[in-house]
């Protein structure tokens, strides 16, 4: 009975437990089912292209190949199938937008495309809202900013890098002006804007922008009109940034107009390389029209995978289209999406879509906008795409912080008769090079101009020599060359009265340089000025910047304010401002011998002769018999000895070390003084000496006297603005005769003018001379408009004239004068003053003082040792007087020069009756007796 109850209880508990177990199992199954449901068996991707274009055909083949390769490898998507839905926009942006909307309705995780940047700008707004990544390898407009369009990703190097490559090519070949011809759409227009920025960074520019109708709508007549305008311009470097249809039309018309011949340069963007790669063989007409052009191709490093894919291409395309690198980018783009989707699923993300509540209001209308869905995992998928780190057919694939592919690079291709030749590479890492970029990534980047190089190019017309890049406009107009209509100094520019004949030094230099140019230059001289006074050269140069003249030839100084308006050639003559003033010739006189030194210099020199003689006498008096004797004789000795050192004829010998030291120093001083005196006196007696109160620009400024200048010269502004000379002090002068009259009449104290004018003036007026040195350095050159290539070529020609000596011959023919020149007028020889020699006198004086201090200190020491002070009962005054007399007697005493030890030994051995000790005792006793005797007698004391 109890067992039955327990069995009933167990049954009552077992029923709920089974229900719980069944419920748990059901929940688990539902969870697994829902997880599998979040991982669909098919991953849908859309692609929008115009499949009738070259890149559209290539992309279609490559994307289908990638789809098949991904689906054949279960490890990529875990057995799921990748499906790429293709939509042909058929050259229509409208159809492209419709296709994108259809893709949004059918829950595509990503869209590849569009092909053009025009559609990319529109579709990027759409995918931004629905969080569907949009990847394109052909819409490469540099203005598609990731900040504005975060869900748009460019999977090939965008046109920013292509324009940098073109700018570096232009700079490499030395061209400064280019003409840009482009289709007027977003991608081409923004690419040309970027090109202009990159050219300006390299001091180049786009001189003209020719816009054509967008691709497919450009007509032959439109292209002919634009090329006809370009044909009349100076620049011959043309950058063509468009698409294949319009681009080939431009080359065809250019060929018919003769613009594919010698002297032209054509640089096409990457569209031309796709034609060369995918259209083989080219039609003979097309091949002839593009011969000599340069183009760029996206560079992809060589690899086994790339070679294998290229070997499969004919099979994949069935021979419908040739291969080009954009097929590799299409293939890698599909793989980037597949890897990002796999990573999304591995991270636990889901491929799910939800309605946008903002679109529900449009559900009842004709447009079924409510069917558009937002991709819930779109942001995560975008992040996975941007974090891609793989090696594809195009090489290593990674994005930098600006969302550009790392290490963008291009092949540089030259179209030739047999197809094309590869002349080098460009990479953002190392610039232009003939070495593949991937071999340089391991080295330190070096983008110096010396490291940039390309192989030889076959230019349009079959030329191998680099084209100059510009010509004179083919409009029949001669260059208008302005020349100053000078009134004075017509040796530089001379317009023969009543004729159009122009000659002169500056004209001959210009004509000689023109003859050296490798091309003909039509020109016509146009005088500028009223013929009554010299024209303003500032106004003349300003006519060039205003477009009135195409250049200016004449005595045009190259100064700062003019270089801001025009470009100058290399200077063909040196120039600089100098001061011209009247000078008086210094006549000879009986006292000319005293002119080398100033009076103070003579006085100090004479004083030192006496001082040195006295010092030597003091040092030698006690031990040298030649410096002893009666007082008169000793005074004569001092004077004779000191002044005889002037000629190194002194007869007295010095025996003391201090005396010899002083004498050596003094003889060195005498040598320097003698040499300077002789050199100065020789100059005074042999060279014409001129004197003037004006020593140069400094003394002229401080004198407050009037200053003359030439009319039209830049000297007036320079004196006012740079040297702060009041305008009231300046006097304008026109001719050399006015110069001479103004200087002679003291109307002006001096004239400031450029050196070439002054040299001509002084050749006929010897009463004036240049004072001081040139205080400005400049030169004369020819002026041309800013960035004119003619300025560079003329500079090269002027350098050639200088090197072959022709420039000097022209100078000698016009400007050399024999009658009188400024070279014969030397500046006044300045007198030598104490300032030039005070260092020598200081050294000598210090030596004398030190020698006397040492001498007297030694003598006081000897006097203290041999004559100790004795107490005296007399007054202190008489005691000091007696001791002074004793010291003077001691100082005046004769001291025998000590004998050498060998001599003393010989005297000791000779047996003279004294031993060494006895002799010492005798001499000591004798000295003491003499001292005692002298003290008592008050007489002088002499040590014998």
């Amino acid at each position: 009975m109890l067992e039955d109850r327990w069995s009933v209880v167990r049954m009552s508990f077992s029923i709920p437990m089974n229900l719980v177990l069944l419920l748990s199992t059901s929940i688990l199954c539902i969870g697994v089912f829902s997880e599998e449901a979040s991982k669909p068996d098919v991953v849908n991707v859309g692609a929008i292209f115009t499949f009738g274009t070259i890149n559209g055909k290539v992309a279609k083949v490559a994307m289908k190949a990638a789809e098949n390769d991904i689906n054949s490898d279960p490890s990529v998507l875990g057995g799921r199938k990748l499906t790429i839905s293709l939509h042909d926009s058929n050259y229509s942006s409208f159809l492209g937008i419709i296709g994108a909307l259809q893709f949004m309705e059918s829950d595509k995780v990503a869209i590849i495309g569009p092909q053009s940047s025009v559609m990319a700008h529109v579709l990027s707004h759409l995918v931004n809202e629905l969080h569907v990544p949009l990847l394109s390898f052909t819409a490469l407009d540099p203005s598609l900013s990731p900040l504005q369009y975060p869900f748009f990703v460019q999977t090939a190097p965008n046109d920013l890098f292509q324009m940098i490559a073109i700018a570096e090519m232009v700079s490499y070949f030395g061209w400064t002006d280019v003409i840009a011809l482009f289709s007027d759409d977003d991608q081409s227009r923004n690419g040309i804007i970027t090109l202009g920025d990159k050219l300006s960074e390299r001091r180049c520019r786009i001189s003209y922008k020719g816009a054509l109708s967008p691709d497919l709508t450009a007509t032959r007549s439109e292209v002919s009109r634009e090329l006809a305008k370009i044909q009349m311009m100076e620049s011959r470097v043309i950058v063509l940034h468009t698409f294949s249809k319009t681009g080939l039309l431009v080359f065809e018309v250019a060929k018919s107009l003769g613009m594919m011949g010698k002297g032209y340069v054509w640089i096409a963007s990457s569209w031309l390389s796709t034609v060369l790669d995918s259209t083989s063989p080219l039609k003979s007409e097309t091949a002839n029209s593009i011969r000599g052009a340069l183009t760029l191709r996206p560079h992809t490093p060589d690899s086994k995978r790339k070679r294998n894919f290229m070997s499969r291409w004919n099979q994949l395309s069935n021979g419908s289209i040739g291969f080009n690198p954009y097929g590799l980018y299409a293939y890698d783009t599909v793989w980037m999406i597949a890897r990002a989707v796999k990573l999304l699923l591995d991270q636990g993300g889901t491929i799910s879509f939800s309605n946008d509540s903002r679109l529900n209001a449009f559900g009842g209308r004709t447009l079924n906008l409510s069917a558009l869905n937002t991709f819930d995992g779109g942001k995560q998928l975008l992040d996975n795409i941007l974090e891609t780190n793989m090696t594809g057919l195009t090489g290593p694939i990674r994005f930098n912080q600006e969302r550009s592919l790392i290490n963008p690079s291009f092949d540089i291709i030259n179209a030739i008769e047999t197809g094309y030749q590869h002349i080098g590479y460009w990479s953002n890492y190392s610039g232009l090079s003939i070495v593949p970029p991937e071999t340089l990534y391991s080295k330190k980047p070096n983008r110096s101009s010396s490291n940039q190089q390309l192989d030889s190019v076959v230019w349009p017309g079959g030329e191998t020599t680099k084209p100059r890049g510009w010509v004179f406009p083919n409009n029949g107009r001669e260059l208008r060359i302005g020349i100053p209509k000078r009134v004075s100094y017509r040796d530089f520019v001379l317009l023969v009265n009543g004729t159009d004949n122009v000659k002169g030094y500056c004209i001959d230099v210009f004509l000689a340089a023109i003859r050296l140019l490798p091309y003909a230059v039509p020109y016509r001289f146009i005088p500028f000025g009223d013929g009554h006074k010299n024209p303003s050269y500032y106004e003349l140069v300003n006519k060039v910047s205003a477009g009135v003249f195409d250049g200016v030839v004449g005595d045009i100084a190259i100064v700062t304010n003019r270089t801001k308006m025009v470009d100058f050639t290399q200077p063909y003559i040196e120039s600089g401002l100098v001061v011209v003033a009247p000078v008086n010739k210094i006549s000879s006189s009986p006292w000319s011998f005293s002119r080398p030194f100033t009076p103070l210099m003579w006085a100090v020199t004479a004083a030192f002769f006496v001082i040195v003689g006295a010092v030597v006498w003091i040092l030698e008096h006690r031990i040298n018999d030649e410096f002893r004797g009666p007082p008169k004789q000793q005074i004569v000795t001092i004077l004779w000895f000191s002044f005889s050192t002037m000629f190194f004829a002194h007869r007295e010998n010095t025996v003391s070390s201090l005396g010899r030291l002083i004498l050596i120093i003094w003889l060195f001083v005498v040598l320097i003084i003698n040499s300077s005196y002789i050199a100065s006196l020789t100059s005074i007696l042999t060279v014409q000496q001129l004197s003037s109160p004006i020593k140069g620009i400094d003394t002229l400024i401080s004198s407050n006297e009037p200053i003359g200048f030439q009319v039209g010269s830049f000297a007036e502004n320079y004196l006012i603005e740079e040297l702060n000379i009041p305008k009231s002090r300046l006097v304008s002068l026109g001719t050399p005769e006015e110069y001479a009259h103004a200087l002679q009449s003291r109307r002006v104290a001096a004239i400031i003018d450029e050196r070439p004018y002054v040299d001509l003036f002084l050749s006929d007026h010897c009463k004036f001379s240049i004072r001081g040195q040139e205080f400005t350095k400049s030169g004369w050159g020819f002026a041309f408009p800013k960035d004119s290539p003619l300025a560079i070529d003329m500079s090269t020609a002027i350098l050639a004239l200088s090197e072959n000596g022709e420039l000097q011959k022209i100078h000698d023919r016009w400007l050399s004068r024999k009658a009188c020149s400024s070279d014969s007028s030397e500046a006044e020889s300045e007198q030598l003053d104490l300032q030039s020699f005070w260092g020598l006198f200081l050294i000598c004086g210090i030596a004398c003082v030190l020698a006397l201090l040492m001498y007297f200190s030694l003598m006081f020491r000897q006097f203290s040792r041999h004559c100790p002070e004795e107490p005296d009962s007399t007054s202190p005054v008489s005691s000091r007087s007696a001791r002074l007399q004793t010291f003077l007697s001691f100082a005046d005493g004769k001291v025998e020069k000590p004998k050498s030890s060998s001599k003393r030994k010989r005297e000791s051995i000779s047996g003279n009756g004294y031993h060494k000790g006895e002799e010492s005792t005798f001499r000591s006793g004798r000295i003491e007796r003499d001292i005692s005797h002298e003290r008592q007698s008050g007489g002088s004391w002499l040590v014998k």
Side-chain angles (χ1 to χ4, degrees), residues 715-914:
E716 179 182 11
N717 288 337
Y718 183 86
L719 295 175
I720 296 174
E721 297 175 5
E722 301 297 331
L723 301 183
N724 298 319
I725 296 177
K727 189 174 183 178
S728 57
R729 290 184 57 191
L730 303 181
V731 179
S732 61
L733 304 171
T735 64
E737 291 72 21
E738 289 185 31
Y739 281 20
H741 183 267
L743 290 171
Q744 290 174 345
S745 63
R746 302 298 298 172
R747 180 184 172 195
V748 296
I751 292 174
I752 293 179
D753 206 350
E754 296 178 69
R755 184 64 185 254
Y757 302 122
V758 170
D759 287 340
L760 279 181
F761 172 71
L762 295 180
S763 65
D764 298 324
H765 300 82
C766 299
K767 296 180 179 180
F768 314 103
S769 175
I770 295 175
R771 311 304 295 165
Q773 303 296 322
E774 292 184 12
F775 54 92
T776 65
K777 291 291 182 182
S778 61
W780 291 355
F782 305 134
F784 294 96
K786 278 288 186 181
D787 301 320
S788 172
L790 188 59
I792 299 175
D793 290 349
M794 286 292 287
S795 295
T796 304
I798 291 172
L799 288 175
L801 291 175
S802 177
E803 292 171 357
N804 62 24
E806 183 65 22
L807 198 61
Q808 185 61 42
K809 292 179 182 178
I810 298 174
H811 180 277
D812 295 341
R813 185 163 61 248
W814 284 98
L815 304 182
S816 292
R817 296 290 186 270
K818 300 298 183 182
C820 177
S821 67
S822 61
D823 293 337
S824 63
S825 300
E826 301 293 335
E828 179 183 355
S829 177
E830 300 289 346
Q831 287 183 308
L832 300 175
D833 56 13
L834 184 61
Q835 185 69 21
S836 304
F837 300 94
W838 72 268
L840 288 174
F841 289 127
L842 179 64
I843 294 173
C844 185
I846 292 175
C848 291
V849 172
L850 293 178
L852 290 177
L853 290 176
M854 293 177 61
Y855 174 77
F856 283 114
S857 63
L858 291 174
M859 191 169 62
F860 279 126
R861 182 179 177 185
Q862 294 175 2
F863 177 73
S864 300
R865 184 187 310 123
H866 293 292
C867 302
E869 186 176 357
E870 296 178 1
D872 195 350
S873 58
T874 60
S875 65
V877 175
S878 60
S879 175
R880 284 195 297 271
S881 176
R883 186 161 183 80
L884 177 60
Q885 292 178 357
T886 303
F887 173 75
L888 293 176
S889 299
F890 180 80
D892 189 54
K894 176 69 168 65
V895 177
E896 294 290 345
K897 184 178 179 182
K899 298 179 180 179
S900 63
S901 58
S902 59
K903 186 174 181 179
R904 289 196 304 268
K905 184 176 180 181
R906 287 196 302 270
E907 290 179 353
S908 175
I909 297 175
S910 63
N912 54 8
Y914 296 101

Side-chain angles (χ1 to χ4, degrees), residues 95-376:
L95 294 180
I97 296 172
I98 295 301
L101 291 173
Q102 291 174 348
F103 285 154
M104 299 302 175
E105 293 179 0
S106 56
D107 298 341
K108 298 297 188 289
V109 298
I111 298 175
I112 302 175
Q115 187 169 344
S116 69
S117 296
V118 177
M119 292 172 57
H121 280 278
V122 177
L123 296 182
S124 294
H125 291 286
L126 182 62
V127 297
N128 284 351
E129 297 296 330
L130 300 180
H131 295 181
V132 178
L134 183 66
L135 291 79
S136 180
F137 47 87
T138 54
L140 303 175
D141 184 354
S143 68
L144 286 166
S145 167
L147 297 176
Q148 185 179 6
Y149 308 113
F151 278 84
F152 178 76
V153 180
Q154 293 171 327
T155 58
N158 71 24
D159 285 347
L160 166 66
F161 304 104
Q162 186 172 195
M163 295 305 141
I164 295 176
I166 293 176
E168 292 199 4
M169 291 169 60
V170 171
S171 177
Y172 170 79
F173 288 112
W175 303 312
T176 56
D177 282 12
V178 302
I179 292 174
L181 194 59
F182 61 97
S183 294
D184 196 11
D185 57 39
D186 287 349
Q187 180 160 334
S188 300
R189 188 188 313 110
N190 292 329
I192 293 302
I193 292 173
T194 303
L195 175 63
D197 294 339
K198 298 307 173 182
L199 285 172
S200 64
E201 293 175 3
R202 292 156 180 81
R203 303 193 68 181
C204 306
R205 65 167 186 163
I206 298 177
S207 58
Y208 177 76
K209 295 180 181 179
L212 302 173
S213 297
D215 204 35
L216 293 180
T217 62
T219 62
R220 186 180 186 88
S221 60
E222 177 190 3
V223 172
S224 297
R225 287 194 303 269
E226 199 62 43
L227 290 180
K229 287 193 294 184
I230 293 174
Q231 198 173 22
M232 303 296 288
M233 299 176 183
E234 289 186 359
S235 179
R236 286 294 183 262
V237 182
I238 304 170
V239 176
L240 183 57
H241 186 42
T242 179
F243 299 96
S244 58
K245 182 180 181 297
T246 302
L248 292 177
L249 177 60
V250 169
F251 276 118
E252 182 182 343
V253 176
K255 177 70 175 178
S256 65
L257 294 176
M259 297 177 67
M260 293 303 299
K262 180 180 178 181
Y264 281 91
V265 177
W266 287 85
I267 302 176
S269 53
S270 58
W271 68 265
L272 181 56
S273 67
T274 64
V275 174
L276 292 171
D277 288 333
S278 299
T279 308
S280 182
L282 289 173
K283 296 179 181 180
S284 59
E285 297 83 0
T286 303
N288 289 332
S289 65
I290 65 174
R291 189 176 303 163
L294 297 178
T295 184
L296 300 174
R297 173 206 286 157
H299 175 73
T300 55
D302 187 31
S303 66
K304 183 178 181 181
R305 290 185 60 198
K306 175 183 173 182
R307 291 193 299 270
N308 292 339
F309 183 78
M310 293 173 63
S311 65
R312 297 167 49 198
W313 184 259
N314 286 333
Q315 179 183 358
L316 295 171
S317 63
N318 294 321
S320 61
I321 188 67
F323 172 81
N324 71 55
Y326 288 102
L328 301 179
Y329 285 105
Y331 185 90
D332 284 348
T333 299
V334 177
W335 273 90
M336 290 169 59
I337 295 174
R339 288 174 178 268
V341 170
K342 181 179 183 301
L343 183 59
L344 171 67
L345 298 176
D346 292 343
Q347 293 170 342
T350 61
I351 299 178
S352 60
F353 296 83
S354 59
N355 291 329
D356 191 336
S357 59
R358 294 173 297 174
L359 301 176
N360 292 333
F362 298 93
R365 301 187 183 183
T366 304
L367 294 176
N368 190 19
L369 297 180
S370 60
L372 299 179
N373 295 322
T374 301
F375 181 20
D376 297 327

Side-chain angles (χ1 to χ4, degrees), residues 540-604:
L540 177 59
V541 172
N542 192 42
K543 294 290 185 182
V544 177
S545 62
V548 177
F549 294 140
D550 298 311
V552 168
V553 171
D555 45 336
I556 313 297
I558 304 173
V559 293
T560 304
N561 62 347
R562 297 174 185 173
T563 58
K564 296 176 181 178
M565 299 184 293
V566 297
D567 279 349
F568 281 95
T569 62
Q570 172 80 16
Y572 57 87
I573 187 174
E574 292 184 357
S575 178
L577 293 178
V578 294
V579 177
V580 180
V583 291
N584 298 318
K585 183 177 179 181
I586 301 177
S587 58
S588 299
S589 69
W591 301 99
S592 296
F593 69 89
S594 64
R595 281 167 48 194
F597 291 158
T598 60
L600 179 60
M601 179 66 184
W602 280 115
V604 172

